[in-house]
Amino acid sequence: MDASQYDCDVASTVWKTWHEIPWIGAYQIVARLQTRIAKAVKAGQWRNVRSLQRLLTKSSGAKALAVRRVTENQGRRTPGVDQQLWSTPEEKWQAVVGLGNKRYKPLPLRRIYIPKSNGEKRPLGIPTMRDRAMQALHLLALDPVAETTGDSHSYGFRRERSTADAIAQVRNVLSGHDCARWVLEGDIKGCFDNISHEWLLANVCMDKGVLGKWLKAGFIEMGKLFPTQTGTPQGGIISPVLANIALDGLQEELTTLFSTVRQARAAKINLVRYADDFVITGSSRELLQDKVRPLVEKFLAARGLVLSESKTKITEVSEGFDFLGWNVRYFKSVIVQPSKKNRKAFLEKVRAILGARKAASQTEVIDKLTPVIRGWANYHRSQNATRTFVKCDHRIWEALWSWAVRRHPKKGKRWIKQRYFKQLHGRDWRFAEKDKLLPVLAQYKQRKHAKIKGDANPYDPASDEYFSKRLAKRMDSTLEGRRKLRWLWWWQEGLCPVCDQKITRETGWHLHHIVKRSERGSDKLTNLQLVHPNCHMQHHVREAHGTAGTSIYK
């Protein structure tokens, strides 16, 4: 029985409600089709690619996974212009049944604005839940194509890749005495808003009719409909992949500058790109200015894009340049540390949190600050951030001290110190209350990041073992200090026992008691499991209807 036949059988005989969907089967069906798509792309069999894409987008399993994605991500509580949300199992099931209608017509986007670091505002287009699910469905078919054809040193909005991989590649191409000492810092002006619709329709391998409808859907602002002539809206699930496809190929174009391998090595041209931000190394300012920049401008012009004059510049590495929140500078060796701009934004966020909670309890302040501090530390700890962490710890302490003194203007400093600060773990000034302790940046020691292989493809079965090892290392560090969760993750081989899919930092997890606490179930490891949040809810719904036992072991 092939995947499509199995899918139809499952949909017609088993699927009656959202909580009856067999997630293991759904994931396996989609994964097999995605693998076949990637294999066909690699072989250049584009007719077969399009046939497999149509098969996948008609698959009931793919539709269920698309609905699950948009109802579990961070935007699940943000409605579109129709003000509808899919929050109940009944609404999710109806969404699966109605997805992929041939008469599908997307609604306009809801326009909102978010602040940028330079004080300006970035426009976002919020699709409706149905349009988001349709984008997620077609993304399942498009992503294997984008991953297989993408530039090897493109790291933004791609599975298993991150900013840490991008900055590690920057360090690699600039390390050593014979490496490039000049860098072209590139930034594309309004990349998402200006990509040519004609170029996308001519070059993106997906259903052209559906893609055209998304691109021309328009947006509503202040009750008025505005048409869209260019660009793919920021806020759409599929938009980052479309932007990546538009920018892929620049790495190959740069190799055409030189006729021989010796010339290419002498020029020391290397591209590192994260979404629409990129750096290109070179042996001299003249090379980057006279040859590389014109080539980049020509490449972008074909896609309706231009470089930002204010943000695009050529810099000597010894002077330093900023990239993805880090400052990179060569001084005897390559030094990568948090940029001043990034550090300032972080401290301003900490002060804003304290300023907005002048009357809040100490526990509430700790709960709000902890993820901010932990997230910033984990982002930068792979680089040379030790000194920066110490300086920022002092600034955070000053902000906390001002917050505490403001609350008690009639109390002495010794009383305030004893009330809000404890002597813990060898430090005399830890901001803590009872069992709540605010982390300090200095406790996050440097941890080197292993850069992903440039040719690694998550849709290639040959790379499965490689990605499994990377996930194990990443989760090991994510669960550092949480011994029980760490042990459970390893015991379960990183898999959810309900849907048989990986448990990652992105999917989240729930600690499930096999025998309920209300039934005197213990907190021992033998009575615990790590499961996905949605899988945990599904299990208890099945249990309530008498379709599941007391355990969720496969």
Side-chain angles (χ1 to χ4, degrees):
M1 180 184 294
D2 63 17
S4 57
Q5 184 180 351
Y6 172 80
D7 188 32
C8 293
D9 290 346
V10 170
S12 61
T13 61
V14 180
W15 299 17
K16 303 299 181 183
T17 66
W18 174 256
H19 290 302
E20 293 179 9
I21 296 175
W23 292 110
I24 293 178
Y27 276 110
Q28 288 176 344
I29 292 164
V30 172
R32 283 197 292 267
L33 287 172
Q34 288 179 321
T35 299
R36 291 171 63 186
I37 291 172
K39 184 178 179 180
V41 171
K42 196 172 182 179
Q45 300 170 351
W46 292 101
R47 180 176 294 181
N48 192 24
V49 170
R50 287 186 283 272
S51 175
L52 290 168
Q53 285 182 322
R54 286 193 294 270
L55 183 61
L56 193 151
T57 53
K58 292 179 181 178
S59 162
S60 300
K63 294 176 183 178
L65 294 184
V67 173
R68 179 173 180 171
R69 173 172 178 173
V70 301
T71 54
E72 291 183 5
N73 61 16
Q74 292 182 347
R76 63 186 180 276
R77 296 188 181 92
T78 306
V81 292
D82 60 355
Q83 296 299 312
Q84 291 185 5
L85 295 176
W86 298 338
S87 54
T88 66
E90 292 75 18
E91 291 171 336
K92 296 175 185 178
W93 173 246
Q94 290 303 318
V96 173
V97 173
L99 206 60
N101 192 315
K102 292 183 178 180
R103 296 181 180 180
Y104 166 71
K105 183 178 180 181
L107 292 176
L109 307 172
R110 182 166 71 92
R111 174 59 60 90
I112 64 172
Y113 293 89
I114 59 173
K116 296 172 65 175
S117 58
N118 59 5
E120 299 178 358
K121 290 188 176 181
R122 184 192 308 275
L124 288 185
I126 308 299
T128 63
M129 292 295 289
R130 184 165 183 251
D131 293 337
R132 273 177 259 177
M134 279 293 289
Q135 290 189 18
L137 175 62
H138 283 270
L139 180 59
L140 290 172
L142 178 61
D143 201 45
V145 179
E147 282 290 337
T148 307
T149 60
D151 290 344
S152 59
H153 296 306
S154 164
Y155 298 96
F157 304 116
R158 295 181 64 181
R159 281 185 58 185
E160 310 294 342
R161 299 188 180 218
S162 65
T163 53
D165 293 307
I167 201 66
Q169 178 62 13
V170 170
R171 182 187 285 274
N172 288 346
V173 299
L174 294 177
S175 296
H177 295 290
D178 297 329
C179 291
R181 290 294 171 259
W182 292 88
V183 167
L184 170 65
E185 303 174 58
D187 185 87
I188 302 170
K189 185 177 181 180
C191 177
F192 283 84
D193 297 328
N194 296 305
I195 300 176
S196 167
H197 285 179
E198 291 72 22
W199 191 95
L200 290 174
L201 288 169
N203 293 276
V204 176
C205 184
M206 64 170 292
D207 189 312
K208 308 296 184 183
V210 174
L211 177 59
K213 290 177 181 179
W214 286 335
L215 296 176
K216 301 297 184 182
F219 63 91
I220 291 180
E221 185 175 9
M222 303 294 291
K224 185 177 179 181
L225 176 64
F226 295 87
T228 49
Q229 302 300 329
T230 60
T232 175
Q234 287 181 274
I237 289 177
I238 205 170
S239 294
V241 176
L242 294 178
N244 265 341
I245 292 174
L247 297 176
D248 282 332
L250 180 57
Q251 185 173 312
E252 185 177 352
E253 284 287 319
L254 289 170
T255 62
T256 63
L257 281 171
F258 311 101
S259 56
T260 66
V261 175
R262 178 174 293 182
Q263 288 178 340
R265 288 178 178 174
K268 302 171 184 175
I269 298 293
N270 293 282
L271 168 71
V272 182
R273 181 171 66 83
Y274 189 92
D276 57 341
D277 292 328
F278 62 88
V279 294
I280 302 176
T281 65
S283 58
S284 67
R285 175 188 289 274
E286 292 72 25
L287 173 65
L288 294 175
Q289 182 66 47
D290 300 335
K291 290 188 176 182
V292 173
R293 180 162 180 165
L295 183 145
V296 173
E297 291 174 340
K298 181 181 178 182
F299 175 86
L300 295 177
R303 292 150 176 79
L305 302 172
V306 296
L307 290 173
S308 171
E309 291 294 334
S310 60
K311 296 181 180 180
T312 301
K313 50 189 176 181
I314 298 174
T315 309
E316 192 171 8
V317 180
S318 59
E319 296 177 3
F321 63 93
D322 290 350
F323 185 58
L324 303 178
W326 285 289
N327 179 264
V328 184
R329 186 168 67 94
Y330 186 86
F331 180 73
K332 296 184 179 180
S333 63
V334 177
I335 299 172
V336 182
Q337 55 189 356
S339 66
K340 290 182 179 179
K341 184 178 179 181
N342 187 272
R343 184 171 69 238
K344 181 180 178 181
F346 165 66
L347 293 175
E348 285 179 349
K349 185 174 183 179
V350 170
R351 296 185 186 109
I353 290 173
L354 292 173
R357 289 164 177 78
K358 296 178 180 178
S361 67
Q362 187 179 8
T363 300
E364 182 181 340
V365 170
I366 293 174
D367 288 340
K368 192 66 179 179
L369 284 179
T370 295
V372 175
I373 294 174
R374 183 193 297 131
W376 195 77
N378 284 328
Y379 185 86
H380 290 291
R381 69 188 301 184
S382 63
Q383 307 304 320
N384 312 111
T386 303
R387 291 186 179 181
T388 303
F389 283 0
V390 173
K391 292 178 181 178
C392 288
D393 272 336
H394 181 65
R395 298 302 180 195
I396 293 172
W397 176 86
E398 288 179 335
L400 292 170
W401 179 254
S402 297
W403 176 85
V405 169
R406 189 189 303 114
R407 290 168 64 90
H408 306 283
K410 297 182 180 180
K411 294 290 186 179
K413 293 181 179 179
R414 187 183 299 274
W415 184 93
I416 294 174
K417 191 262 183 186
Q418 293 175 347
R419 167 66 178 80
Y420 291 102
F421 298 90
K422 313 295 181 185
Q423 184 174 4
L424 296 167
H425 307 302
R427 294 174 66 99
D428 195 32
W429 288 88
R430 294 300 300 271
F431 191 73
E433 183 178 27
K434 297 180 180 179
D435 59 336
K436 291 285 186 178
L437 176 66
L438 185 69
V440 292
L441 294 168
Q443 76 187 46
Y444 293 89
K445 305 301 180 184
Q446 184 176 9
R447 180 192 295 139
K448 291 186 177 181
H449 175 79
K451 191 186 81 68
I452 191 172
K453 294 179 181 177
D455 59 351
N457 187 341
Y459 297 104
D460 185 354
S463 299
D464 283 349
E465 185 177 355
Y466 170 74
F467 282 114
S468 294
K469 289 180 179 179
R470 283 183 62 83
L471 175 61
K473 289 182 180 179
R474 188 164 66 248
M475 288 299 294
D476 204 35
S477 60
T478 298
L479 300 176
E480 184 180 14
R482 291 178 276 185
R483 186 171 59 182
K484 184 175 289 188
L485 296 179
R486 196 176 185 180
W487 190 92
L488 284 172
W489 193 90
W490 278 101
W491 178 258
Q492 295 174 199
E493 297 181 344
L495 300 176
C496 170
V498 178
C499 66
D500 205 34
Q501 297 300 301
K502 295 289 186 182
I503 296 175
T504 68
R505 182 170 52 190
E506 291 74 23
T507 64
W509 56 79
H510 183 92
L511 193 60
H512 171 74
H513 286 73
I514 299 173
V515 179
K516 299 179 182 178
R517 281 183 172 179
S518 59
E519 298 174 357
R520 300 295 179 88
S522 71
D523 290 334
K524 293 182 179 180
L525 290 173
T526 53
N527 192 49
L528 297 175
Q529 288 180 316
L530 281 181
V531 297
H532 292 131
N534 184 77
C535 294
H536 181 255
M537 181 174 63
Q538 182 188 52
H539 165 73
H540 283 295
V541 170
R542 288 181 173 180
E543 189 178 50
H545 288 82
T547 57
T550 58
S551 174
I552 56 175
Y553 281 104
K554 297 188 290 289

